[in-house]
C-alpha cells in the first residue's frame, strides 16, 4: 500500500510499512523512512507506483484551467477530491485527483487552504486583485530582464541611471532597478560596480565618492534650514588688548587669536582668545540641534561642509577689524624663564587687529627672522601686521612648552615627513566636480607659525581641562594611557593624562565653530567663569549625564567617518595629479614589508602610499624607483611597478613611536600627516 502525504509543506509519496492509531511509518522511494501523522495522509493507493503517479499528476496539473476550476468550485469549503469530480468527472482517476491537489496547492490566489486537503475559493474581488498583482509582477520581471540585457550589452537604461547612487550605496533590494543590476552582474559574471562603469552609468569618479559620502552621512542633503543667528543676550566688557589670528587665507571659521602684553616688564601676559558662539547658542536651540547632528565641519580638498550655517559662523568668527565676543585665557608668564605664573579666564569683546595667513607669511616668519632682534631690512609690506617682538616671544614660549611636553612624553616629537596642501582650481564658493586642476605643495611640519598656534591651543585645552576638573564640572576629554603600541586615544568625561601630547589632561575647547565637543566644553567653561565653585550645579551638563556620553559616542563615529572621507578624497586628488601631470615614475621609500606580500611604500614629495609590485622582499627604509600602473579613481587603487633600488637601508630609520600614534589618531600638535589646505584649512584635530 502506498500513501500520498504532506510533510513540511511538500507532497511526498511512499510505501506504508506500518500504521498506528495516529501515525504511519512510510518508506520513500529513496529509502528514507518518515513518520507521518494520519491526518496528513491525503491518499492511499495500490497502484501505480508513486513515481509514475506523481509524474502523471504533475503533467496533468499544468493543463488544469484555474479560471474554470474556480467556476466549478462550490462556495463552501471543499476537498480536492470533490473538485476533481466536478472538474474531470464523477469517476475522477487517482492521477486526476492528485493533479487537482497539486493545482489547488499552487494557486493560493484562486483557492486558500482551509485544512489538510481542504480548500475554499477566493472571492471574485480578491481574485481580481491577485490576478492584477500577478500580471504586474510578470510585467516587472519582463522589465528587469530587458534592463539586465541592456546592461549586459554595455548600455545603462535611464531608470537605472536615475537610481544609480541609491542602487550602489543604499539599495532597496526589492526595487526592479536593483534586481536588474544584480541579474546582469550574474549573467555577465561581472562585479556590479564594474558592470555599471562599462555601461557608462558612472561618468564622474568624483561624483561617485561624493554621493557615497552623502548617502552615508548626509542622506537629507547638506543645505541648512533658514534660521537666524541668535544675538548675544548680555553685554561684555571690552578687552584692552589687540589680538591676531593665524590661519590660511581661505579660512572662514576663525576660532582662535593671540595677544601679548607687557613685553619688557619682566612679566608678560599672553592672551588666548576663542570665538564664543556658546554665549548666544544654548543647548536645545534649533541651531544647536543642527550642530549636534553634524558634530564637526567636514574638510576635503576644494570643499568643506560646515558644522554651522555660514551666517552663524560669520556672526561669531574672529574677523579682523571688529570687536568679537570671546572666551579669553590670560596667562601670566615670566619673561625670561617663561614659567607660567598663573591664569585667568574672562568673557569679553576682543578687538581682532588682523587675520594673519600661513600661506602669505610662512616664508617670512622663519626661525632666522624671529631670532633677529629686528625684522630684516627691506621686508616692506611682506612684514606681518603682528609686531615682531610679540611673535618672537610667542615662538620662544612655544619652543619651551614643546620641550616641557617632550620631557613628560619621555621622547621628542620628530616630524620627518611634510604636510601637503591641496589647492583645487574651483571658483570660490563652488564645489569641485573632479575635473579641476589640482596643485599639491608641501608645508614643513612644525614651522614657527604652526608651532605658535599649536602650543597655544594645547596650553589652553590642558589649562581649561584641569580647571573644569578642579571645579568638578564634567567635560569631554581626550586621553591616552601611554605611548606603547596599540594604546589608542580615548574620549571620555574624566580628566586623565594624554601621553601622546604630554599633558595631565586635555579637553578640546578651542574650536567651537567647527567641532561640537568644543562647543559643549565652552558651555561648561562659561558656567565656571560665571559661577566659580558652584558651577557644577548650573552647568548645562551634569556629572554622569547620559546626554554627554551620547555626544561622545556620536562624535567619535562622525569624526572617524569624516576623516576617512577626507583621506579618500586626498587620495583621489593625488591620483588626479598623477594623471594630469602625466607622471609615469616616482621615487618612494618602503615603510612596511611583510613576508609573502608586496611591500608598501610612501612616495617622496606626494601624499601617496602604494604597494610595490614585482620587487620581492625589500627592507624597511629602502628607496626605490617605481613605475605608476593601474590608476583607478573609482576604487582609488594604484600600483607601483618595481624598477630599481635607489638606496638600500639595512638599518632602516624607525619612525618615532609618537608618529605611529599620530597616524592612528592625528594627535600631533602640528596636525595630521596629510592635510587638505585648499579653499579652507584643515587644522590639527588636537591643536584646536
Amino acid at each position: 500500500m502506498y500513501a500520498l502525504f504532506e510533510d513540511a509543506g511538500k507532497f511526498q509519496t511512499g510505501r506504508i510499512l506500518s500504521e498506528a492509531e495516529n501515525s504511519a511509518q512510510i518508506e520513500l522511494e529513496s529509502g528514507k523512512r518518515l513518520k507521518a501523522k494520519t491526518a496528513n495522509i491525503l491518499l492511499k493507493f495500490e497502484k501505480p507506483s508513486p513515481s509514475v503517479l506523481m509524474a502523471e499528476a504533475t503533467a496533468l496539473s499544468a493543463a488544469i484551467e484555474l479560471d474554470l476550476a474556480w467556476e466549478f468550485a462550490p462556495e463552501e469549503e471543499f476537498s480536492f477530491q470533490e473538485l476533481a469530480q466536478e472538474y474531470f468527472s464523477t469517476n475522477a482517476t487517482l492521477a486526476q485527483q492528485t493533479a487537482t491537489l497539486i493545482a489547488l496547492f499552487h494557486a493560493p490566489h484562486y483557492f486558500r487552504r482551509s485544512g489538510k486537503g481542504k480548500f475554499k475559493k477566493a472571492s471574485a474581488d480578491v481574485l481580481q486583485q491577485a490576478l492584477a498583482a500577478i500580471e504586474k509582477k510578470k510585467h516587472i520581471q519582463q522589465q528587469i530582464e530587458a534592463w539586465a540585457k541592456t546592461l549586459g550589452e554595455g548600455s545603462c537604461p535611464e531608470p537605472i541611471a536615475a537610481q544609480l547612487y541609491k542602487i550602489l550605496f543604499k539599495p532597496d533590494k526589492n526595487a526592479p532597478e536593483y534586481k536588474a543590476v544584480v541579474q546582469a552582474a550574474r549573467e555577465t559574471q561581472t562585479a556590479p560596480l564594474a558592470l555599471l562603469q562599462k555601461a557608462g552609468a558612472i561618468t564622474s569618479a568624483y561624483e561617485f565618492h561624493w554621493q557615497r559620502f552623502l548617502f552615508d552621512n548626509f542622506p537629507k542633503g547638506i543645505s541648512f534650514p533658514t534660521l537666524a543667528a541668535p544675538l548675544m543676550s548680555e553685554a561684555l566688557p571690552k578687552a584692552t588688548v589687540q589680538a591676531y589670528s593665524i590661519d590660511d587665507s581661505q579660512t572662514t571659521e576663525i576660532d582662535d587669536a593671540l595677544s601679548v602684553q607687557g613685553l619688557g616688564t619682566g612679566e608678560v601676559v599672553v592672551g588666548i582668545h576663542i570665538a564664543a558662539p556658546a554665549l548666544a547658542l544654548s543647548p536645545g536651540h534649533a541651531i544647536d540641534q543642527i550642530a549636534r547632528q553634524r558634530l564637526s565641519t567636514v574638510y576635503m580638498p576644494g570643499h568643506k561642509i560646515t558644522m554651522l550655517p555660514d551666517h552663524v559662523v560669520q556672526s561669531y568668527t574672529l574677523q579682523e577689524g571688529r570687536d568679537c565676543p570671546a572666551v579669553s585665557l590670560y596667562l601670566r608668564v615670566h619673561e625670561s624663564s617663561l614659567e607660567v605664573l598663573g591664569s585667568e579666564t574672562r568673557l569679553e569683546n576682543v578687538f581682532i587687529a588682523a587675520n594673519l595667513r600661513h600661506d602669505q607669511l610662512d616664508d617670512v616668519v622663519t626661525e632666522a627672522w624671529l631670532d633677529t632682534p629686528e625684522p630684516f631690512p627691506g621686508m616692506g609690506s611682506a612684514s606681518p601686521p603682528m609686531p615682531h617682538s610679540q611673535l618672537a616671544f610667542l615662538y620662544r614660549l612655544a619652543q619651551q612648552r614643546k620641550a616641557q611636553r617632550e620631557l613628560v612624553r619621555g621622547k621628542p616629537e620628530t616630524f620627518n615627513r611634510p604636510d601637503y596642501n591641496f589647492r583645487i582650481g574651483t571658483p570660490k564658493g563652488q564645489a569641485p566636480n573632479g575635473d579641476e586642476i589640482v596643485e599639491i605643495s608641501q608645508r614643513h611640519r612644525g614651522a614657527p607659525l604652526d608651532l605658535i598656534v599649536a602650543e597655544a591651543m594645547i596650553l589652553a585645552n590642558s589649562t581649561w581641562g584641569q580647571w573644569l576638573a578642579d571645579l568638578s564640572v564634567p567635560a569631554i576629554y581626550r586621553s591616552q594611557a601611554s605611548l606603547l603600541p596599540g594604546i589608542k586615544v580615548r574620549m571620555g568625561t574624566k580628566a586623565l593624562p594624554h601621553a601622546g601630547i604630554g599633558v595631565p589632561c586635555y579637553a578640546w575647547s578651542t574650536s567651537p565653530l567647527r567641532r561640537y565637543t568644543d562647543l559643549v566644553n565652552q558651555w561648561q567653561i562659561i558656567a565656571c567663569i560665571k559661577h566659580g565653585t558652584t558651577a557644577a550645579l548650573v552647568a548645562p551638563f551634569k556629572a554622569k549625564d547620559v546626554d554627554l556620553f551620547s555626544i561622545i559616542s556620536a562624535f567619535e563615529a562622525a569624526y572617524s567617518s569624516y576623516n576617512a572621507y577626507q583621506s579618500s578624497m586626498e587620495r583621489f586628488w593625488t591620483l588626479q595629479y598623477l594623471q594630469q601631470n602625466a607622471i609615469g615614475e616616482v621615487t618612494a621609500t618602503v615603510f612596511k614589508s611583510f613576508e609573502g606580500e608586496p611591500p608598501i611604500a610612501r612616495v617622496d614629495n606626494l601624499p601617496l602610499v602604494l604597494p610595490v609590485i614585482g620587487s620581492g622582499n625589500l627592507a624597511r627604509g629602502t628607496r626605490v624607483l617605481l613605475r605608476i600602473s593601474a590608476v583607478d579613481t573609482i576604487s582609488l587603487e594604484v600600483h607601483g611597478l618595481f624598477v630599481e633600488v635607489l638606496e638600500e637601508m639595512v638599518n632602516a630609520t624607525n619612525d618615532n613611536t609618537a608618529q605611529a600614534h599620530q597616524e592612528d589618531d592625528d594627535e600631533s600638535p602640528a596636525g595630521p600627516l596629510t592635510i587638505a589646505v585648499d579653499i579652507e584649512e584643515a587644522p590639527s584635530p588636537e591643536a584646536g
Side-chain angles (χ1 to χ4, degrees):
M1 176 74 70
Y2 300 113
L4 183 151
F5 63 99
E6 186 180 344
D7 178 60
K10 295 181 179 180
F11 295 126
Q12 304 271 23
T13 55
R15 183 184 301 276
I16 300 175
L17 300 178
S18 63
E19 288 187 85
E21 183 176 351
N22 295 317
S23 63
Q25 189 79 8
I26 300 176
E27 182 182 54
L28 306 182
E29 288 191 319
S30 65
K32 182 179 179 180
R33 295 185 178 186
L34 297 176
K35 184 178 181 181
K37 292 182 179 180
T38 301
N40 289 345
I41 297 176
L42 303 176
L43 287 173
K44 292 182 180 180
F45 56 96
E46 293 286 350
K47 56 181 181 179
S49 66
S51 59
V52 172
L53 172 65
M54 293 305 294
E56 183 180 352
T58 300
L60 190 58
S61 67
I64 292 178
E65 297 182 28
L66 292 174
D67 287 331
L68 186 60
W70 183 83
E71 291 287 348
F72 285 163
E75 296 296 329
E76 64 277 3
E77 182 180 283
F78 59 89
S79 68
F80 67 93
Q81 294 100 328
E82 291 172 335
L83 184 60
Q85 291 171 355
E86 290 288 340
Y87 186 86
F88 290 104
S89 71
T90 54
N91 296 319
T93 65
L94 182 64
Q96 290 172 336
Q97 293 178 41
T98 305
T100 304
L101 173 63
I102 294 172
L104 292 172
F105 189 82
H106 290 98
H109 46 296
Y110 281 94
F111 308 97
R112 62 178 178 83
R113 300 183 67 188
S114 186
K116 299 300 180 182
K118 300 287 188 178
F119 297 87
K120 189 169 181 24
K121 74 176 184 179
S123 66
D125 289 344
V126 170
L127 177 60
Q128 290 305 313
Q129 292 174 8
L131 291 175
I134 291 171
E135 185 61 30
K136 181 180 178 181
K137 186 176 181 180
K138 180 180 177 182
H139 175 75
I140 290 174
Q141 184 56 41
Q142 291 174 345
Q143 183 66 80
I144 290 171
E145 291 173 358
W147 285 341
K149 182 180 179 183
T150 302
L151 283 169
E153 293 172 348
S155 298
C156 183
E158 192 281 330
I160 292 177
Q163 296 285 322
L164 176 65
Y165 297 112
K166 184 176 181 180
I167 293 170
L168 286 172
F169 309 133
K170 200 171 182 180
D172 174 3
K173 295 186 178 182
N174 292 317
E177 294 85 357
Y178 174 81
K179 290 181 177 180
V181 173
V182 172
Q183 182 172 324
R186 187 183 300 116
E187 291 173 351
T188 60
Q189 297 185 339
T190 307
L193 183 57
L195 173 75
L196 291 167
Q197 282 182 269
K198 292 179 180 178
I202 301 174
T203 57
S204 168
Y206 180 88
E207 189 69 11
F208 170 83
H209 295 296
W210 174 242
Q211 291 295 335
R212 179 176 60 181
F213 177 72
L214 293 183
F215 265 94
D216 289 341
N217 297 277
F218 294 89
K220 295 181 180 179
I222 61 174
S223 298
F224 290 100
T226 303
L227 294 169
L231 301 175
M232 294 289 178
S233 59
E234 57 187 292
L236 299 177
K238 180 174 174 58
T240 59
V241 301
Q242 289 193 344
Y244 300 83
S245 69
I246 305 174
D247 298 277
D248 285 288
S249 289
Q250 301 302 324
T251 298
T252 56
E253 299 159 296
I254 304 175
D255 290 293
D256 53 84
L258 303 173
S259 66
V260 179
Q261 302 175 83
L263 285 173
T265 66
E267 184 176 298
V268 179
V269 177
V270 174
I272 303 173
H273 311 280
I274 306 302
L279 285 171
L281 300 176
S282 59
H285 187 279
I287 293 178
D288 168 56
Q289 292 177 16
I290 293 171
R292 183 164 176 175
Q293 289 175 355
R294 299 196 173 200
L295 293 163
S296 172
T297 290
V298 187
Y299 292 94
M300 65 205 81
H303 194 39
K304 70 175 180 178
I305 305 171
T306 58
M307 180 180 77
L308 295 169
D310 184 64
H311 70 283
V312 176
V313 170
Q314 295 308 313
S315 297
Y316 310 119
T317 188
L318 302 183
Q319 183 65 44
E320 66 181 7
R322 72 184 190 188
D323 291 322
C324 299
V327 178
S328 297
L329 174 65
Y330 288 101
L331 300 159
R332 293 185 295 108
V333 182
H334 192 281
E335 191 165 3
S336 57
S337 69
L338 300 177
E339 178 187 359
V340 177
L341 304 174
S343 65
E344 180 186 3
T345 303
R346 304 175 193 165
L347 296 176
E348 57 188 6
N349 279 318
V350 178
F351 181 73
I352 307 301
N355 297 138
L356 278 61
R357 302 300 184 177
H358 280 293
D359 49 323
Q360 297 173 7
L361 296 174
D362 275 349
D363 292 336
V364 175
V365 184
T366 61
E367 287 190 56
W369 187 85
L370 291 166
D371 289 341
T372 303
E374 294 296 333
F376 295 147
M379 293 296 293
S381 61
S383 297
M386 191 173 189
H388 173 275
S389 58
Q390 294 186 16
L391 284 170
F393 180 82
L394 288 173
Y395 185 55
R396 273 205 310 129
L397 179 62
Q399 288 178 305
Q400 191 259 6
R401 297 301 304 180
K402 180 175 183 289
Q404 286 188 341
R405 290 191 303 100
E406 289 177 341
L407 285 176
V408 177
R409 294 177 78 251
K411 59 183 68 179
E413 293 173 330
T414 56
F415 308 115
N416 54 16
R417 295 196 299 275
D419 291 336
Y420 290 93
N421 300 339
F422 290 78
R423 297 192 182 277
I424 313 301
T426 308
K428 187 175 181 180
Q430 294 185 18
N433 59 29
D435 296 328
E436 293 82 2
I437 299 299
V438 56
E439 298 177 9
I440 302 177
S441 59
Q442 292 188 15
R443 176 169 150 188
H444 178 63
R445 295 174 68 83
L449 289 178
D450 269 342
L451 189 65
I452 288 171
V453 175
E455 292 299 330
M457 298 309 111
I458 290 173
L459 186 54
N461 287 329
S462 57
T463 301
W464 278 330
Q466 189 61 59
W467 188 41
L468 289 162
D470 292 343
L471 294 176
S472 300
V473 175
I476 298 176
Y477 292 90
R478 291 176 72 79
S479 63
Q480 186 177 19
S482 76
L483 288 178
L484 293 174
I487 304 299
K488 299 285 187 179
V489 174
R490 306 288 183 186
M491 293 186 72
T493 58
K494 293 184 179 180
L496 299 174
H498 195 308
I501 299 179
V503 293
C505 65
Y506 196 80
W508 266 347
S509 310
T510 53
S511 296
L513 292 176
R514 64 179 182 87
R515 228 167 23 206
Y516 192 70
T517 51
D518 300 52
L519 182 61
V520 168
N521 283 342
Q522 190 173 87
W523 279 318
Q524 303 297 83
I525 291 169
I526 290 172
C528 293
I529 298 170
K530 292 181 176 180
H531 302 280
T533 56
T534 62
L537 300 176
V538 296
F541 299 93
K542 306 298 188 292
K544 298 182 180 179
D545 193 325
V546 174
D547 222 20
L548 207 54
F549 290 104
S550 174
I551 290 169
I552 291 172
S553 176
F555 179 84
E556 287 188 306
Y559 206 63
S560 174
S561 177
Y562 296 169
N563 282 341
Y565 180 66
Q566 176 180 329
S567 296
S568 69
M569 293 316 296
E570 288 170 359
R571 188 172 179 86
F572 168 82
W573 285 110
T574 302
L575 297 184
Q576 289 286 88
Y577 181 84
L578 292 176
Q579 294 179 326
Q580 288 174 2
N581 293 277
I583 297 175
E585 292 186 343
V586 295
T587 59
T589 303
V590 174
F591 71 96
K592 285 185 180 180
S593 185
F594 305 100
E595 188 68 32
E597 295 184 18
I600 307 298
R602 182 177 287 109
V603 175
D604 301 338
N605 304 319
L606 280 178
L608 181 63
V609 169
L610 73 174
V612 180
I613 306 300
S615 67
N617 291 332
L618 291 173
R620 189 165 179 253
T622 303
R623 291 190 69 246
V624 292
L625 178 65
L626 304 176
R627 183 175 296 113
I628 295 297
S629 173
V631 176
D632 187 337
T633 53
I634 293 286
S635 66
L636 299 180
E637 290 183 357
V638 59
H639 294 153
L641 301 180
F642 175 74
V643 178
E644 62 178 328
V645 171
L646 299 177
E647 182 181 359
E648 291 193 39
M649 295 289 289
V650 178
N651 297 316
T653 302
N654 289 324
D655 287 344
N656 187 275
T657 303
Q659 283 192 309
H661 288 282
Q662 291 158 17
E663 287 189 43
D664 288 341
D665 201 73
D666 292 341
E667 295 296 331
S668 160
L673 294 174
T674 303
I675 295 183
V677 184
D678 41 75
I679 285 181
E680 176 62 52
E681 92 294 3
S684 160
E686 295 296 28

